Amino acid sequence: MMKRVEDYVTSIPDFPEPGIIFRDVTTILQDADGLCLAIDSLMDFLKDVDFDVVVGPESRGFIFGVPVAYAMKKGFVPVRKKGKLPRETISMEYDLEYGSAVVEMHKDSIKPGQKVVIVDDLIATGGTIEAIIKMIEQLGGEVVKICFVMELAGLKGREKLKGYDVASVITYEGN
């Protein structure tokens, strides 16, 4: 029987707090077949998409985005936490469950008119990706697809990404 990507995810009940089921993506990465299946599934979403570059947020957006960019012969643009990139950056603040955070990308990383795909491991509330979209568009790029390995549909992150083409390999209905 063919395994699915979700067969490689370990679910940990009551972590980080009671009532939460933590979906651990590292068990996908630890298994060669799971990793290949996850990357291939992301690339399947992109087979008919015209794009120039892959953008991924640290750290797991790097893990999944770089192999996709490599296999599809595209460049990769890292999005990092504030203060981690060495050249001139643009930044965007976004809300967290408790407080806020700031992400940055190099000011010259997206050229006007470039078609951009965003790849990350997980969509929860959608705040990080919403901030990344704003930066890409501020630089003149066009987001043509957003791909995730996992989606926690109960947190309604997709609502923040209305108007964009969003795909998830695995969707969990709860939080």
Side-chain angles (χ1 to χ4, degrees), residues 9-41:
V9 175
T10 300
S11 297
I12 301 151
D14 300 321
F15 182 83
E17 56 188 58
I20 301 292
I21 300 173
F22 184 85
R23 309 295 182 174
D24 186 5
V25 74
T26 63
T27 50
I28 295 172
L29 301 173
Q30 291 168 347
D31 187 288
D33 293 335
L35 179 58
C36 288
L37 188 56
I39 299 301
D40 289 347
S41 298

Side-chain angles (χ1 to χ4, degrees), residues 16-98:
E17 56 188 58
I20 301 292
I21 300 173
F22 184 85
R23 309 295 182 174
D24 186 5
V25 74
T26 63
T27 50
I28 295 172
L29 301 173
Q30 291 168 347
D31 187 288
D33 293 335
L35 179 58
C36 288
L37 188 56
I39 299 301
D40 289 347
S41 298
L42 292 167
M43 289 192 311
D44 282 347
F45 291 145
L46 300 172
K47 66 178 178 262
D48 297 320
V49 178
D50 175 29
F51 69 101
D52 303 303
V53 66
V54 175
V55 169
E58 69 174 298
S59 63
R60 290 173 295 208
F62 294 8
I63 293 169
F64 291 104
V66 168
V68 168
Y70 173 81
M72 300 188 90
K73 298 189 178 357
K74 306 294 182 180
F76 179 82
V77 173
V79 174
R80 304 226 37 209
K81 293 177 180 96
K82 186 173 177 57
K84 300 289 186 181
L85 292 170
R87 298 190 324 274
E88 189 178 359
T89 61
I90 63 166
S91 62
M92 192 66 57
E93 186 172 356
Y94 63 99
D95 292 328
L96 297 167
E97 193 173 357
Y98 304 102

Side-chain angles (χ1 to χ4, degrees), residues 114-125:
Q114 276 191 316
K115 291 177 169 55
V116 179
V117 166
I118 301 171
V119 174
D120 202 3
D121 70 319
L122 175 74
I123 178 171
T125 64

